[in-house]
Amino acid sequence: MHVLLGITGGISAYKATGIIRLLTESGHTVKVLPTQNALRFIGAATLEALSHNSVDSDLYTDVADVKHIALAQEADLVIVAPATAAFLARYATGLADDLLGNVLLATTAPVVIAPAMHTEMWQHPATKANVETLNLRGVKILEPAVGRLTGADTGVGRLPEPKDIVTFALSALQKQDLVGRKFLITAGGTQESIDPVRFIGNKSSGKQGIAIAKAAQARGAEVLLVAANVANIDTGLSETLRVSSAAELSEAVQGQAAKFDCLIMAAAVSDFRVENVSSSKIKRSEVGQELNLKLVANPDILAETVKSLSAAKSKTLTVGFAAETIEDNSEVEALTQLALSKLAAKQCDLIVANNVFNGKVFDSDVNNVLILAANGDSFSSSGTKYEVANQLLDVISDMLD
Ligand code: C5P
């Protein structure tokens, strides 16, 4: 991807080096366009060395190449960081008096800006009006951080860290194909109590379900995540409901699934629970050498939900997961067969199957899955759990349309 990085004349211009580093290390081509005042704070040589590209700040060199138009047209994304109060004023009024200003008027690429200035300047009505104008024009504006400013003072106005600017900028490129869609997503693994301190659980970390929830939200969906015993996660999601047992998860899902466009059951649900849960801790001294627990079946939440959704003629798309253990080399074939029978048993629209033999997948950040649709279509997907989430959402998005 071709990224244009505009740098304007603020003290935090030095932080742009971190942005260049992160972008080039992720394989993006970076062309830096500092304003003349930015070059008072950071040298062109530093920017050229880090971006592996020439740095341009003058509108009146190489005029025959009409470079402001060429740069504007080849850009996939424009980032301006730091963006000063003066820059916001120029950009909001469409003032094209330097190379960066011209490029910004000529480009159709998404523009992301990260303002940085003293608190009083950020809160000034003139700056607020400029930010509002740019916002209405579709410019993505990252709010300044709160913290130490140039002098000894602190407050809002600090340039956010390079990694936050890059994450925000890349998310601006995210397609918004799930706007207006509601997703109910379960993640993690249920726990069935034996007594007040012990339980029967499983190894699901919840990472894949959470990745799907985050990716769906980034694509514009309204997401309710039902999280079963996941570690302290900062999902960044607007709505998360924490549950523990299969019964609690069932209550969270069954009653309201019909209100959603899509139900994704990524949680590993215990198939059995202890019939008589002890109200006090079971003591070895009292039990002796053998402890017999009677397990009774939990309802199959997905299968039951699909049944009641179809009885109510609800259009909710249903997605199940299948964690299988396949030892031999016929992985894809065997996985396909198991996924097909799971699809038939649950009657859901899609099954996402993965091979968890030898602890593969659990708590890992990568995954390798087979996505099987009730109409016979199949897709394989691998990569980080976030990439797999997006590939699954591509399939779901097509089916919802
Ligand atoms: O039958 P199995 O446990 O392999 O099915 C896995 C799928 O079914 C997952 O989507 C899981 O969330 C769901 N499931 C369920 N209720 C159960 C067991 C599994 O909804 N009791």
Side-chain angles (χ1 to χ4, degrees):
M1 181 166 68
H2 282 271
V3 184
L4 289 181
L5 176 63
I7 307 176
T8 67
I11 179 67
S12 55
Y14 73 94
K15 282 195 190 169
T17 55
I19 302 173
I20 301 169
R21 262 248 142 85
L22 289 168
L23 289 169
T24 52
E25 279 169 3
S26 309
H28 303 298
T29 305
V30 181
K31 173 85 177 167
V32 184
L33 304 179
T35 60
Q36 294 290 339
N37 284 336
L39 292 174
R40 294 169 184 252
F41 290 97
I42 185 156
T46 305
L47 302 171
E48 290 193 345
L50 288 173
S51 65
H52 316 296
N53 215 338
S54 61
V55 160
D56 239 322
S57 65
D58 190 354
L59 184 60
Y60 299 104
T61 52
D62 309 319
V63 175
D65 297 340
V66 200
K67 68 181 173 188
H68 61 294
I69 302 298
L71 286 166
Q73 287 176 347
E74 81 176 3
D76 298 303
L77 171 69
V78 184
I79 303 173
V80 182
T84 59
F87 166 79
L88 295 177
R90 289 197 303 275
Y91 189 25
T93 51
L95 195 63
D97 63 347
D98 62 2
L99 181 59
L100 179 60
N102 277 267
V103 167
L104 283 167
L105 292 200
T107 194
T108 54
V111 178
V112 173
I113 62 179
M117 63 201 70
H118 262 78
T119 310
E120 294 80 358
M121 296 171 75
W122 175 245
Q123 289 172 344
H124 192 282
T127 305
K128 281 188 177 166
N130 292 330
V131 167
E132 173 72 7
T133 301
L134 293 171
N135 225 342
L136 290 171
R137 285 187 197 145
V139 175
K140 303 268 186 290
I141 300 166
L142 178 61
E143 289 276 315
V146 177
R148 180 85 189 266
L149 302 170
T150 317
D153 45 351
T154 56
V156 64
R158 212 177 131 80
L159 186 71
E161 290 310 306
K163 70 171 177 22
D164 297 327
I165 296 172
V166 170
T167 306
F168 180 80
L170 295 180
S171 73
L173 294 175
Q174 180 76 64
K175 56 181 164 185
Q176 293 291 302
D177 57 339
L178 298 176
V179 172
R181 301 288 191 192
K182 292 175 80 178
F183 277 66
L184 177 56
I185 301 172
T186 67
T190 59
Q191 292 179 0
E192 303 299 331
S193 292
I194 296 171
D195 65 18
V197 292
R198 304 183 181 94
F199 60 83
I200 297 171
N202 60 68
K203 294 184 175 176
S204 176
S205 64
K207 284 184 178 175
Q208 185 62 76
I210 291 165
I212 298 168
K214 280 183 174 177
Q217 184 170 281
R219 289 166 75 152
E222 202 182 303
V223 176
L224 169 59
L225 174 73
V226 178
N229 309 299
V230 294
N232 283 331
I233 36 153
D234 172 19
T235 61
L237 291 163
S238 41
E239 246 195 307
T240 302
L241 184 65
R242 289 191 175 262
V243 295
S244 185
S245 65
E248 287 169 18
L249 190 134
S250 171
E251 202 184 319
V253 169
Q254 297 229 35
Q256 56 176 342
K259 289 192 279 183
F260 292 82
D261 297 289
C262 182
L263 165 68
I264 304 180
M265 286 286 295
V269 182
S270 173
D271 285 320
F272 295 93
R273 66 177 184 280
V274 177
E275 186 177 45
N276 295 310
V277 179
S278 171
S279 57
S280 54
K281 186 181 171 191
I282 299 171
K283 293 199 168 55
R284 188 188 169 126
S285 55
E286 289 165 14
V287 172
Q289 292 307 306
E290 238 176 57
L291 172 62
N292 289 309
L293 293 174
K294 183 170 176 198
L295 302 180
V296 292
N298 273 328
D300 187 323
I301 303 165
L302 178 58
E304 287 194 359
T305 308
V306 169
K307 234 181 253 166
S308 48
L309 286 171
S310 70
K313 301 212 173 347
S314 161
K315 285 194 176 148
T316 306
L317 193 97
T318 49
V319 184
F321 270 65
E324 304 291 353
T325 47
I326 300 161
E327 299 181 35
D328 59 27
N329 296 328
S330 64
E331 178 169 332
V332 175
E333 212 176 294
L335 203 57
T336 308
Q337 287 312 317
L338 290 165
L340 277 171
S341 52
K342 195 128 294 180
L343 205 51
K346 313 265 177 184
Q347 292 288 303
C348 50
D349 299 297
L350 282 175
I351 278 283
V352 181
N354 52 12
N355 186 3
V356 296
F357 182 66
N358 263 346
K360 271 197 279 181
V361 181
F362 292 125
D363 205 30
S364 163
D365 290 322
V366 293
N367 206 352
N368 182 2
V369 305
L370 179 76
I371 304 168
L372 216 74
N375 66 5
D377 287 349
S378 74
F379 314 84
S380 47
S381 164
S382 60
T384 63
K385 286 187 171 172
Y386 198 74
E387 285 164 347
V388 167
N390 269 311
Q391 287 160 16
L392 171 64
L393 290 171
D394 287 344
V395 176
I396 292 173
S397 177
D398 283 349
M399 290 174 79
L400 287 172
D401 287 341

